[in-house]
Amino acid sequence: MGYILSHADQVLVLTMEHLQVTAVAVILAVVAGVPLGILVTRLRWLYPLVLGTAGVLYTIPSLALFAFLIPFLGLGVKPTILALILYSQLSIVRNTAVGINTVDRAIVEAARGMGMTNGQILRMVQLPLALPIVMAGVRTITVMDIGVATIAAYIGAGGLGVLIFRGIASLYPEQIIAGAAPVALLAVLADYLLARMESALRPKGVGR
């Protein structure tokens, strides 16, 4: 705690870097993953291929994936964001597909009987009802990305991992804690805020 108070400006700057990288990665992961999740519910033969590929990417150790991307994107933020996006696809695609597929068929048929097109059913019925499951995926990848982003300091992406690696190198426990404690706090806070957002966006009538 003493290190954080005496180096508050540095900790704040690194925290903002950490938040920026994580936020960009999560947003881009959702932008890529939700349409892909929708696609695999329409073209079901793609489901095992897409989920299998995302699953394989998820099992690659973070440092190994960073190392693979460095020759193409160099050091720093770019390979970090792309790696976090790739890691996030399994949860986003799977949760989107599961959310859509678990919508009661009777509701879908009722909407179709009212004259809705497939696109209208997706936008007005399936996606709103699938939102709690999709948001659960977003919460998962957000917390995960906050943690993995600490390792990205090793390739020059900045963030709170800088303090952790410096503390390990210098055998300075207070510096390690100064990096690890804000990471844990960010993960808890992000999960709480996204849970509240999920509750606010949940369609009326859907169980809480």
Side-chain angles (χ1 to χ4, degrees):
M1 191 64 180
Y3 185 93
I4 294 177
L5 293 177
S6 60
H7 297 78
D9 291 343
Q10 180 191 27
V11 174
L12 180 60
V13 169
L14 293 175
T15 300
M16 295 308 296
E17 289 178 358
H18 205 97
L19 278 173
Q20 184 178 12
V21 169
T22 303
V24 171
V26 169
I27 291 170
L28 293 179
V30 172
V31 169
V34 170
L36 194 54
I38 294 170
L39 180 63
V40 299
T41 64
R42 269 46 185 172
L43 302 176
R44 295 186 181 276
W45 60 271
L46 278 176
Y47 187 87
L49 176 62
V50 171
L51 267 291
T53 302
V56 169
L57 290 171
Y58 188 78
T59 63
I60 299 175
S62 53
L63 278 178
L65 186 56
F66 291 147
F68 176 78
L69 295 174
I70 286 172
F72 304 99
L73 299 175
L75 296 170
V77 173
K78 289 182 180 179
T80 299
I81 290 177
L82 181 55
L84 294 178
I85 291 171
L86 293 175
Y87 275 132
S88 301
Q89 292 310 293
L90 180 61
S91 290
I92 289 296
V93 174
R94 181 176 57 195
N95 281 41
T96 300
V98 169
I100 290 174
N101 287 333
T102 53
V103 173
D104 194 330
R105 295 298 304 172
I107 297 176
V108 174
E109 292 303 321
R112 186 169 285 114
M114 294 170 62
M116 287 187 178
T117 64
N118 288 335
Q120 289 173 326
I121 292 172
L122 176 65
R123 293 192 308 272
M124 300 172 67
V125 178
Q126 291 176 309
L127 283 178
L129 293 175
L131 186 58
I133 298 177
V134 176
M135 284 301 298
V138 174
R139 289 168 62 186
T140 298
I141 69 166
T142 301
V143 173
M144 178 193 71
D145 286 357
I146 289 172
V148 175
T150 60
I151 303 173
Y154 193 75
I155 61 169
L160 292 163
V162 170
L163 294 177
I164 296 174
F165 282 113
R166 287 178 182 172
I168 293 172
S170 61
L171 300 177
Y172 190 3
E174 285 194 16
Q175 194 171 30
I176 298 173
I177 294 171
V183 169
L185 182 61
L186 286 177
V188 172
L189 182 61
D191 186 67
Y192 172 76
L193 292 176
L194 287 171
R196 295 296 298 270
M197 185 183 298
E198 175 188 332
S199 178
L201 293 175
R202 183 182 284 116
K204 293 181 179 179
V206 176
R208 295 183 179 278

